[in-house]
């Protein structure tokens, strides 16, 4: 299947170029033929199946990517959940909601992070409260949650048990098992699986595969691996990690494609709009 554009609208075709969804939508989120297709028309989201039949009318202000049999949806500025058949499984009563986490990370019962009356907690697929609404802020990763309360951060599991007790540091997940730790102008990280700790003098973005971008407050970038080793001998103005484990590095006077695993680089050409790779592709 592939997306196509016609008269400024988006549709979907199969491998034989047969139209599956006519080009009448502003946006389409397609996962696979067995998963409902999220479609957006006139700034409202709904669901269709692969035959083009409507599952849920385009009435939602926002719809999360289908995952674990459901989608978080927003209507009238409140969040709830619908299943793959378009049936409401959790009413829209929340200020915000994230999609349900896989059951394997939550003792066999999926849970979702939601906000209500300014406080954060979790619910199960029946809408029952699992973690009470007691946190000022929260973000989840595979059944674990960074939570904030009274200007202190900690990490809890899906049972509301602390993995890391409240500390003054700012915490955030940058990979499935790696958290970044920030305190004032100091940086560090911890691997929750190995318990190994790291200290460094730069900030880091979320990992993309095995690598991420390191940055300084002066706007300089580098690349680090999961042991937070700097891979480039010099810092550069701009870079982006690509899905093949390579990175495109762009400075005012140079541009090159860097293989993060081998350390080899290839010169690229650039203009004001595109970077031209050695294999003829552009970005």
């Amino acid at each position: 299947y592939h997306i196509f554009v016609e008269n400024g609208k988006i549709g979907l075709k199969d491998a034989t170029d047969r139209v599956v969804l006519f080009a009448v939508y502003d946006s389409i989120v397609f996962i696979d033929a067995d998963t409902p297709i999220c479609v957006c028309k006139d700034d409202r989201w709904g669901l269709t199946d692969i035959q083009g039949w409507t599952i849920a009318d385009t009435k939602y202000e926002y719809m999360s990517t289908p995952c674990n049999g459901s989608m978080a949806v927003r209507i009238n500025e409140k969040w709830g959940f619908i299943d793959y058949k378009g049936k409401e499984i959790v009413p829209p009563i929340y200020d915000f909601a994230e999609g349900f986490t896989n059951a394997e990370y939550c003792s066999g019962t999926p849970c979702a992070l939601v906000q209500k009356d300014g406080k954060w907690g979790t619910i199960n697929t029946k809408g029952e409260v699992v973690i009470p609404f007691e946190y000022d802020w929260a973000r989840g990763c595979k059944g674990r949650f960074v939570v904030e309360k009274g200007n202190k951060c900690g990490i809890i599991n899906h049972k509301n048990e602390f993995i890391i007790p409240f500390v003054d540091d700012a915490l955030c997940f940058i990979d499935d098992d790696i958290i970044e730790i920030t305190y004032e102008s100091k940086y560090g990280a911890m691997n929750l699986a190995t318990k190994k700790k790291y200290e460094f003098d730069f900030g880091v973005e979320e990992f993309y595969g095995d690598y991420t971008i390191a940055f300084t407050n002066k706007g300089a970038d580098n690349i680090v691996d999961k042991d937070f080793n700097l891979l480039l001998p010099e810092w550069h103005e701009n870079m982006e990690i690509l899905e093949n484990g390579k990175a495109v590095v762009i400075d005012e006077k140079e541009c090159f494609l860097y293989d993060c695993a081998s350390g080899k680089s290839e010169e690229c050409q650039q203009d004001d709009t595109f970077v031209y790779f050695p294999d003829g592709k552009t970005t």
Side-chain angles (χ1 to χ4, degrees):
Y1 297 88
H2 60 277
I3 301 292
F4 74 98
V5 180
E6 186 176 277
N7 297 325
K9 296 293 183 178
I10 298 173
L12 186 71
K13 292 182 178 181
D14 65 15
T16 66
D17 226 29
R18 179 182 66 89
V19 174
V20 176
L21 297 181
F22 290 106
V24 296
Y25 299 104
D26 302 317
S27 186
I28 290 176
V29 178
F30 175 79
I31 306 297
D32 56 49
D34 299 319
T35 304
I37 305 167
C38 300
V39 293
C40 181
K41 184 189 292 186
D42 300 326
D43 291 328
R44 289 294 184 270
W45 288 86
L47 287 177
T48 71
D49 63 18
I50 199 63
Q51 281 77 41
W53 293 102
T54 298
I55 299 174
D57 293 333
T58 49
K59 63 181 181 179
Y60 296 103
E61 299 155 1
Y62 182 85
M63 180 177 290
S64 70
T65 301
C67 184
N68 297 313
S70 67
M71 288 75 54
V73 292
R74 186 180 72 197
I75 187 168
N76 298 325
E77 299 185 355
K78 290 293 183 179
W79 291 78
F81 292 85
I82 62 174
D83 63 17
Y84 282 5
K85 296 181 180 179
K87 179 184 176 182
E88 181 184 284
I89 58 174
V90 177
I93 60 174
Y94 298 102
D95 302 330
F96 188 79
E98 293 186 354
F100 280 99
T101 299
N102 287 355
E104 63 184 291
Y105 304 122
C106 301
S107 300
T109 303
C111 66
L113 190 63
V114 293
Q115 183 189 40
K116 188 176 183 181
D117 300 326
K119 297 294 183 179
W120 290 85
T122 66
I123 59 172
N124 61 23
T125 52
K126 296 180 181 179
E128 298 168 336
V129 175
V130 179
I131 295 177
F133 296 95
E134 58 179 292
Y135 298 107
D136 302 327
W137 181 89
R139 283 296 179 270
C141 180
K142 292 189 174 181
R144 297 162 301 185
F145 307 95
V146 175
V147 293
E148 184 176 322
K149 193 174 184 180
N151 294 322
K152 291 181 178 291
C153 280
I155 297 180
I156 59 174
N157 63 16
H158 63 282
K159 297 179 180 180
N160 205 22
E161 300 167 336
F162 276 94
I163 299 172
I164 295 179
F166 282 124
V167 293
D168 292 326
D169 308 333
L171 308 175
C172 77
F173 278 99
I174 54 176
D175 196 57
D176 289 348
D177 289 312
I178 301 176
I179 57 167
E180 182 184 18
I181 304 169
T182 309
Y183 182 70
E184 295 180 348
S185 60
K186 298 179 181 179
Y187 299 95
M190 179 179 177
N191 188 312
L192 296 179
T194 64
K195 306 302 181 184
K196 188 173 181 179
K197 296 182 179 180
Y198 305 88
E199 293 184 0
F200 37 84
D201 57 359
F202 46 79
V204 289
E205 297 181 0
E206 188 173 342
F207 275 91
Y208 191 36
D210 292 326
Y211 306 97
T212 188
I213 293 175
F215 59 88
T216 69
N217 56 11
K218 295 182 180 179
D221 292 346
N222 209 316
I223 303 171
V224 296
D225 58 20
K226 287 189 175 178
D227 284 320
F228 298 93
N229 299 306
L230 293 171
L231 302 187
L232 295 173
E234 297 178 352
W235 292 75
H236 297 270
E237 294 175 7
N238 188 30
M239 62 183 61
E240 181 178 349
I241 306 250
L242 307 178
E243 61 183 7
N244 57 3
K246 297 183 179 181
V248 56
V249 181
I250 305 171
D251 279 340
E252 183 178 354
K253 296 181 179 179
E254 65 176 337
C255 178
F256 60 91
L257 187 65
Y258 178 78
D259 189 310
C260 299
S262 68
K264 297 179 179 179
S265 60
E266 297 177 271
E267 184 179 356
C268 302
Q269 302 300 314
Q270 64 169 316
D271 56 28
D272 292 337
T273 306
F274 293 102
V275 171
Y276 303 91
F277 293 124
D279 62 3
K281 295 181 180 179
T282 63
T283 189

